[in-house]
Amino acid sequence: FPQVIGEAMACALPVISTRVGAIPEMVVEDETGLLIPPRDPASLRQALEALWGDPARRARMGTQGLAQARLRHDADRNAGLIFGIMEQLAQARSGVL
């Protein structure tokens, strides 16, 4: 889960990354960015040229990435969810539930 991808999305920037690990869960192909094979300079060049030549596409991807960042990667929201889960687990363990 590369932090830099979340940061780019929070800055309304389209992302170009590889299809490894959890990255495809973060970057939705042609919605929030482009996914390329690892170690493929030709694909990287093609992706860069595609976004460079299409400002409207870059803006659309950036806007959608920002929306995803706000929805899925907001630290305050996620901390609240984690604390809620922890509270439920603590209550279940103590027999409060």
Side-chain angles (χ1 to χ4, degrees):
F1 191 91
Q3 186 65 29
V4 70
I5 291 177
E7 291 170 351
M9 292 170 74
C11 291
L13 296 172
V15 174
I16 298 173
S17 190
T18 56
R19 289 183 181 93
V20 297
I23 293 172
E25 295 174 31
M26 297 177 70
V27 180
V28 180
E29 179 68 32
D30 207 36
E31 288 184 26
T32 61
L34 300 173
L35 295 169
I36 61 171
R39 297 184 178 101
D40 187 343
S43 292
L44 177 58
R45 179 183 177 153
Q46 183 180 10
L48 288 167
E49 288 175 347
L51 291 183
W52 180 263
D54 193 342
R57 185 179 186 194
R58 285 195 317 266
R60 176 182 53 80
M61 286 182 176
T63 299
Q64 290 178 333
L66 176 58
Q68 281 298 312
R70 287 179 173 158
L71 178 67
R72 298 177 63 196
H73 306 294
D74 178 82
D76 291 333
R77 180 181 170 275
N78 289 343
L81 292 171
I82 290 169
F83 287 131
I85 291 169
M86 292 171 65
E87 183 177 2
Q88 289 175 355
L89 292 171
Q91 289 175 353
R93 184 172 173 94
S94 68
V96 174
L97 283 178

